[in-house]
């Protein structure tokens, strides 16, 4: 796990500018820094050393220096690929997974990415063709941004590195903001910054000479079988296939590291399965880390203790209060580099801080399971809504709604009229996005706060997303279509980004995700829908596959999504001064995104009850205003051309290692 950056400039790459970019990424790679300069191209790297710490410095070349790579991530099958490449005549000087990339590019070109089992954002400089290649892993675990200004190409792991160049414009993009206020996140290649793009997951871009538009290669396709073509497998067949693949994926991610690997333990099914696999199939001692909350509504400590005691792990946790969330929220937004609608990233930031402070810099986690195996409430809601569409007014549908949220203090069953209006609209059974309409409608209500310059009546993010669905998706099971929408929006744009990579790497911690192994993903896509969602029992096949490793208390508990205090964290006694500062009407007007009078009324409403009496929509309104205002203050209004605004050290020449220019 590292930070990468680079420049292509026909007039010659600027080393001082590259040094500033590397400095802005220092938190991603505190173990070393290096660069390679080759005329009009420069690659930069900030390293977090995980594999081959002595010899894995980057940027790294092939044998003759004709191919160079700057790489953020891990190629977990590098041992097998090394053996194959050696048999094909390639010579290796290191035992790092990084060197596999340059030889694999030599041997297979664009075909190499489909051979990688890993997580990555990388830049290849091919001197033979004079091309820069940017690539990102299939699910977007690691970020990679690029922009073109004055004919120059700039790319980096984070936007703040691009903003160290004074020529890069710092503006929020109205279409990107509209997309976020519909889908919860932007969808690659779009970002919330005008002129800044992200490489799409499962894609590589090839930038040739002359500043032409890049060529796009899609090496990964999210494909499901047609509803009539689902395998005629039994639940036992599906469970066995999933079990075998997930055990191997977990072992690979736990054992292929030259530093100790720990695990997150949430108290839910997914992390318990991963921890159980590690203890059962590696024989290693296991260190686990958990989040707890002072507010009992969000706390899962009882289940975390149950799993830890069952597995005999060396366990640590951290208890989070609303005050903790408010205190670190500006730092969280600075690392997330996007507005956010929930406070969930803040506790994850504090958890990774605990991990790093305890001496670990790699953790395995359960992210991806809900998307791969239909674990979210949105999938269960969609099943109820499809039933409702077929049987309008059925008492059975109303009972199903009541069963959706047994963990929620303010469940829809307590407000039947609200449940009817929320679940009973947009019930066109032929709608490819029937599953997501309630979420998008609820989020879209936030757009009423926008100033005229940001209100985009001509934008329809939902329609644009549906238009991007694969051509064969009309034949998929409705659950598969819902999964694709979740894989494309929330997974890369929020779960793996704002709540994942950004909060981990803020404290120089690498996350590894066995459920996002491509073999596991392909198997999960072909598991029949009825095995993933059995009635309203989410992830049924996963429970069947690992019933022997997970305590019954966890196996049988209702699904409880990860949640944390939202509005209550920012009001009442002890609220930090920055909240009032960024909500000040003059500050809101200066940012130009939200209407000051609407924000003022919202702030008063929150202040009256300390945030305790506001609903879900107002809570999202508050979080998106706070995070957008912080983003404007700390990234848009910051002094151009410096890293001081982000508190990052500018890497001095003596701290950099220049890799040989051959």
């Amino acid at each position: 796990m590292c930070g990468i950056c680079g420049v292509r400039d026909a007039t010659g790459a600027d080393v001082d500018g590259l040094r500033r970019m590397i400095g802005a990424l220092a938190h991603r790679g505190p173990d070393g820094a290096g660069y390679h300069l080759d005329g009009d191209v420069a690659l930069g790297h900030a390293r977090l050393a995980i594999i081959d710490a002595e010899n894995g410095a980057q940027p790294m070349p092939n044998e003759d220096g004709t191919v160079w790579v700057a790489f953020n991530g891990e190629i977990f099958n590098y041992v097998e690929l090394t053996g194959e490449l050696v048999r094909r005549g390639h010579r290796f000087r290191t035992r790092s997974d990084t060197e596999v990339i340059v030889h694999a590019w030599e041997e297979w070109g664009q075909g190499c990415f489909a051979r990688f089992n890993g997580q990555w954002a990388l830049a290849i400089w091919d001197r033979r063709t004079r091309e820069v290649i940017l690539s990102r892993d299939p699910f977007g675990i690691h970020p990679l941004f690029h922009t073109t200004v004055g004919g120059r190409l700039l790319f980096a792991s984070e936007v703040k590195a691009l903003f160290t160049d004074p020529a890069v414009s710092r503006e929020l993009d109205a279409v990107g903001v509209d997309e976020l206020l519909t889908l919860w996140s932007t969808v690659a290649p779009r970002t919330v910054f005008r002129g800044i793009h992200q490489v799409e997951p499962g894609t590589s871009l090839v930038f040739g000479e002359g500043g032409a538009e890049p060529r796009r290669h899609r090496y990964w396709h999210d494909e499901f079988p047609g509803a009539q073509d689902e395998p005629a497998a039994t639940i036992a067949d599906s469970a066995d296939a999933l079990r075998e693949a997930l055990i191997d994926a977990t072992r690979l991610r736990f054992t292929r590291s030259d530093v100790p690997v720990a695990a997150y333990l949430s108290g839910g099914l997914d992390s318990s399965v991963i921890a159980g696999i590690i203890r059962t199939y590696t024989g290693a001692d296991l260190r686990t880390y958990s989040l707890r909350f002072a507010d009992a509504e969000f706390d899962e400590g009882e289940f975390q203790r149950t799993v830890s005691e069952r597995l005999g792990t060396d366990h640590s946790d951290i208890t989070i209060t609303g005050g903790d969330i408010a205190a670190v929220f500006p730092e969280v937004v600075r690392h997330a580099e996007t507005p956010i609608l929930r406070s969930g990233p803040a506790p994850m930031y504090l958890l990774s801080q605990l991990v790093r402070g305890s001496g670990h810099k790699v953790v395995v986690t359960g992210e991806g399971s809900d998307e791969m195996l239909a674990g979210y409430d949105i999938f269960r809601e969609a099943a109820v809504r499809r039933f409702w569409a077929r049987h309008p007014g059925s008492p059975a549908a109303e009972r199903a709604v009541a069963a959706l949220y047994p963990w929620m203090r303010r469940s829809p069953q307590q407000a039947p009229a609200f449940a009817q209006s929320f679940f009973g609209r947009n019930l066109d059974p032929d709608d490819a996005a029937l599953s997501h309409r309630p979420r998008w409608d609820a989020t879209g209500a936030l757009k009423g706060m926008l100033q005229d310059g940001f209100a985009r009546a001509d934008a329809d993010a939902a329609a644009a997303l549906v238009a991007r669905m694969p051509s064969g998706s009309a034949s998929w099971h409705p659950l598969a279509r819902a999964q694709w929408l979740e894989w494309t929006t929330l997974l890369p744009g929020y779960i793996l980004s704002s709540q994942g990579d950004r909060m981990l790497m803020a404290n120089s911690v690498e996350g590894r995700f066995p459920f996002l192994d491509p073999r596991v993903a392909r198997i999960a896509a072909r598991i029949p829908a009825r095995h993933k969602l059995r009635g309203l029992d989410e992830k049924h096949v996963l429970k069947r596959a690992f019933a022997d490793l997970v305590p019954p208390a966890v196996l049988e508990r209702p699904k409880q999504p990860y949640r944390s205090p939202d509005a209550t964290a920012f009001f009442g006694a002890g609220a930090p001064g920055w909240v009032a500062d960024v909500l000040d009407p003059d500050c809101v007007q200066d940012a130009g995104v939200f209407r000051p009078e609407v924000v003022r009324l919202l702030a008063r409403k929150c202040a009256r009850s300390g945030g305790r009496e506001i609903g879900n929509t107002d809570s999202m309104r508050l979080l998106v205003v706070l995070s957008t205002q912080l983003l404007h203050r700390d990234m848009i209004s910051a002094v151009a051309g410096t890293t001081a605004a982000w508190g990052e050290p500018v890497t001095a020449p003596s701290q950099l290692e220049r890799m040989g220019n051959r």
Side-chain angles (χ1 to χ4, degrees):
M1 197 72 97
C2 306
I4 68 171
C5 59
V7 179
R8 183 167 201 170
D9 186 347
T11 65
D14 173 19
V15 176
D16 288 336
L18 187 72
R19 185 178 300 127
R20 290 193 295 270
M21 294 175 75
I22 297 171
L25 299 172
H27 55 284
R28 298 187 68 92
D31 296 336
Y35 72 95
H36 172 66
L37 182 63
D38 189 358
D40 63 337
V41 172
L43 301 179
H45 190 262
R47 187 183 187 206
L48 182 66
I50 305 296
I51 295 175
D52 197 2
E54 289 188 8
N55 303 304
Q58 297 186 46
M60 183 178 288
N62 62 347
E63 305 100 315
D64 60 8
T66 56
V67 178
W68 288 77
V69 68
F71 166 50
N72 165 209
E74 305 287 352
I75 306 300
F76 296 113
N77 62 336
Y78 75 99
V79 174
E80 293 76 13
L81 289 173
T82 297
E84 184 175 357
L85 288 163
V86 166
R87 290 191 294 273
R88 290 172 176 264
H90 294 267
R91 292 180 290 110
F92 283 74
R93 295 172 298 159
T94 75
R95 55 181 184 83
S96 73
D97 57 335
T98 304
E99 192 173 2
V100 164
I101 297 169
V102 290
H103 295 297
W105 177 260
E106 281 185 288
E107 186 66 34
W108 298 303
Q110 288 288 342
C112 73
F113 302 120
R115 293 172 178 262
F116 294 161
N117 181 346
Q119 51 191 65
W120 67 86
L122 61 83
I124 292 172
W125 164 232
D126 192 329
R127 296 184 70 198
R128 303 167 303 179
T129 60
R130 309 295 297 177
E131 292 174 331
V132 173
I133 299 93
L134 305 181
S135 176
R136 201 169 171 211
D137 64 72
F139 298 104
I141 294 172
H142 298 316
L144 186 54
F145 299 91
H146 63 93
T147 190
T148 302
V149 55
R152 295 181 297 127
L153 168 68
L154 296 91
F155 57 86
S157 296
E158 297 186 10
V159 175
K160 59 177 64 68
L162 301 179
F163 281 171
T164 61
D165 190 316
V168 176
S169 175
R170 300 184 183 197
E171 298 179 76
L172 288 173
D173 177 60
V175 176
V177 170
D178 179 89
E179 196 165 85
L180 182 138
L181 293 182
T182 303
L183 310 175
W184 275 53
S185 70
T186 57
V187 178
R190 190 174 300 283
T191 73
V192 295
F193 298 105
R194 185 174 299 172
I196 307 292
H197 312 285
Q198 54 180 323
V199 179
E200 295 176 63
T203 300
S204 65
L205 298 177
V206 180
F207 294 84
E209 293 185 287
E213 286 294 307
R215 302 193 307 275
R216 177 178 177 272
H217 296 263
R218 183 80 179 174
Y219 68 85
W220 174 268
H221 298 276
D222 303 324
E223 292 291 345
F224 295 83
Q228 306 304 315
D229 301 319
E230 287 186 339
T234 66
I235 184 65
D237 294 334
S238 296
D240 288 346
L242 177 63
R243 182 179 176 109
E244 181 180 358
L246 189 59
I247 288 172
D248 192 59
T250 304
R251 281 192 300 210
L252 203 62
R253 283 155 180 76
F254 186 76
T255 59
R256 292 207 167 159
S257 171
D258 291 343
V259 300
V261 179
Y264 278 171
L265 198 58
S266 70
L269 176 65
D270 309 327
S271 63
S272 299
V273 166
I274 298 302
I277 290 172
I278 293 170
R279 288 294 284 137
T280 304
Y281 291 96
T282 71
D285 293 332
L286 179 61
R287 188 85 154 84
T288 52
Y289 295 91
S290 293
L291 273 178
R292 298 202 58 189
F293 290 96
D295 187 332
E297 180 182 358
F298 308 102
D299 189 52
E300 299 182 70
E302 173 189 350
F303 300 102
Q304 295 161 5
R305 285 192 302 272
T306 297
V307 177
S308 176
E309 290 171 2
R310 162 84 173 263
L311 298 177
T313 71
D314 182 5
H315 189 67
S316 298
D317 59 40
I318 182 173
T319 300
I320 306 297
T321 67
D324 296 328
I325 290 171
V328 300
F329 199 69
E331 186 76 356
V332 164
V333 174
R334 184 176 73 86
H335 284 288
E337 296 186 326
T338 182
I340 50 181
L341 280 68
R342 286 285 187 260
S343 66
M348 299 305 294
Y349 170 84
L350 291 167
L351 180 60
S352 71
Q353 196 173 72
L354 171 67
V355 170
R356 186 66 192 208
S358 300
H360 279 93
K361 54 183 178 179
V362 184
V363 292
V364 289
T365 87
E367 268 79 15
S369 173
D370 288 315
E371 292 81 6
M372 297 299 117
L373 299 168
Y376 286 131
D377 287 332
I378 201 167
F379 301 125
R380 305 193 313 149
E381 291 169 4
V384 171
R385 297 179 71 243
R386 286 194 298 272
F387 181 84
W388 211 322
R390 294 192 301 270
H391 308 283
S394 166
E398 294 182 8
R399 290 194 296 271
V401 169
L404 282 174
Y405 308 104
W407 49 268
M408 187 180 289
R409 185 171 61 190
R410 290 179 287 186
S411 173
Q413 64 181 308
Q414 299 172 11
F418 167 77
Q420 174 68 46
S421 66
F422 185 77
F423 295 106
R425 63 174 181 248
N426 295 327
L427 291 180
D428 178 0
D430 297 323
D431 182 4
L434 180 144
S435 56
H436 283 62
R437 295 296 178 188
R439 178 196 288 172
W440 296 345
D441 287 349
T443 311
L446 277 59
K447 298 178 191 178
M449 299 188 298
L450 293 172
Q451 292 193 29
D452 291 344
F454 268 82
R456 293 295 302 258
D458 60 328
D460 191 338
L465 177 64
V466 171
R468 290 176 58 174
M469 295 186 74
S471 58
S473 61
S475 69
W476 295 353
H477 190 281
L479 178 62
R481 292 197 290 270
Q483 286 184 264
W484 184 90
L485 291 170
E486 203 72 352
W487 289 15
T488 306
T489 57
L490 204 70
L491 180 63
Y494 180 76
I495 300 296
L496 296 175
S497 179
S498 299
Q499 200 166 277
D501 171 273
R502 299 311 191 89
M503 298 305 105
L504 287 158
M505 289 307 296
N507 292 299
S508 308
V509 177
E510 172 180 290
R512 296 182 173 186
F513 311 93
F515 282 102
L516 297 179
D517 183 296
R519 300 165 301 171
V520 174
R522 291 189 182 99
I523 288 171
R526 293 194 61 78
I527 290 176
R530 66 186 182 278
H531 294 169
K532 289 181 272 195
L533 189 62
R534 188 171 186 176
L536 293 181
D537 184 23
E538 78 285 344
K539 292 183 291 197
H540 180 77
V541 66
L542 182 64
K543 296 172 185 176
R544 287 284 294 266
F546 292 97
D548 60 322
L549 298 188
V550 180
V554 172
L555 198 68
E556 298 165 6
R557 66 178 294 208
K559 168 71 175 177
Q560 178 175 336
Y562 165 64
R563 298 162 58 242
S564 61
D566 282 323
T568 56
F570 302 97
F571 289 91
W578 67 260
V579 175
D581 291 343
V582 300
L583 295 181
D584 179 82
D586 290 339
C587 186
V588 175
Q589 181 62 45
D590 181 60
V593 180
F594 299 111
R595 292 156 55 197
E597 67 275 14
V598 175
V599 173
R600 182 169 57 248
L601 291 173
L602 176 63
R604 287 178 180 173
K605 185 177 182 180
C606 293
R608 280 197 298 268
S609 66
R612 288 184 293 275
E613 301 302 326
I614 70 170
N616 180 62
T617 300
D618 277 341
S619 186
M620 288 196 297
R621 284 191 177 104
L622 175 68
L623 267 293
V624 79
V625 169
L626 289 175
S627 55
T628 303
Q629 288 296 112
L630 287 168
L631 198 68
H632 183 269
R633 185 191 73 181
D634 295 339
M635 292 194 72
I636 303 299
S637 296
V639 180
T642 73
T643 56
W646 301 293
E648 304 289 1
V650 176
T651 308
S654 61
Q655 296 173 282
L656 282 168
E657 180 181 0
R658 179 172 182 178
M659 315 312 289
N661 186 12
R662 305 183 185 186

